Amino acid sequence: MKDNDLFSEISAIYSVRGAVAYFGEAVTTLEHSLQAAYFAHESKAPNALIVAALLHDIGHLIDSSSADIAEWTTDARHEVSGSGWLAAHFGPEVSEPVRLHVRAKRYLCAADPSYPGRLSSASMHTLTLQGGPMSHAEVTVFEAETYRRDAIVLRHWDDRSKVVGMRTPEFSDYRKQIEALIRA
Ligand code: FE
């Protein structure tokens, strides 16, 4: 697939399926994603991590899980489907922080006592479905992950990206940054 075609495909996924409310929050998935990318850019993150922040929830958009979080009775595992899709088109510096971003939440809940208090009620609800705070054994495994630090900073941007009415760049403004990372 040509770069241009892949960007168009991703952009269409976000403009059509991203227009619905982000799971249990007052912003759409598109707004949430643009805010995460904005915070990454503001933090002077490398391009790959900005794109990872922009696309971190693509698994929600390519899955058919219900948009109503109250209907979730099992973990939708969106980070696995999303990172798998991304790994087919991008390097691990994009797909790996996405794969680890849910485990980063579970890690921070175990490692940082002040962290759970900063999570929204929807995020606390999914935490339970995702397995709750990590055990000691899970923490040890997570700390051996190459991209754990990227996943943790992505997680913090993700948690902040629920601001109603925030102005951000558009999805199309990321075309060059995305296309620069697409693997031939
Ligand atoms: Fe998110």
Side-chain angles (χ1 to χ4, degrees), residues 32-48:
H32 170 71
S33 303
L34 292 171
Q35 290 178 20
Y38 174 83
F39 290 132
H41 175 80
E42 188 186 55
S43 302
K44 300 188 169 30
N47 188 32

Side-chain angles (χ1 to χ4, degrees), residues 39-128:
F39 290 132
H41 175 80
E42 188 186 55
S43 302
K44 300 188 169 30
N47 188 32
L49 196 49
I50 294 172
V51 170
L54 180 67
L55 304 181
H56 76 276
D57 278 328
I58 196 166
H60 280 314
L61 305 181
I62 58 178
D63 282 349
S64 55
S65 51
S66 171
D68 184 351
I69 202 166
E71 293 178 5
W72 286 20
T73 53
T74 57
D75 173 23
R77 302 278 287 165
H78 74 284
E79 75 281 14
V80 175
S81 56
S83 64
W85 192 92
L86 291 170
H89 305 291
F90 300 94
E93 63 280 8
V94 174
S95 64
E96 281 292 280
V98 174
R99 183 177 69 84
L100 296 169
H101 85 278
V102 171
R103 280 167 63 202
K105 176 167 82 170
R106 298 184 54 229
Y107 172 79
L108 286 166
C109 284
D112 179 354
S114 72
Y115 177 76
R118 304 203 293 269
L119 290 175
S120 67
S121 57
S123 204
M124 285 302 288
H125 175 69
T126 52
L127 173 67
T128 306

Side-chain angles (χ1 to χ4, degrees), residues 5-24:
D5 295 344
L6 185 63
F7 177 82
S8 299
E9 182 184 340
I10 298 171
S11 183
I13 288 169
Y14 275 83
S15 64
V16 176
R17 305 202 67 186
V20 298
Y22 180 63
F23 298 75

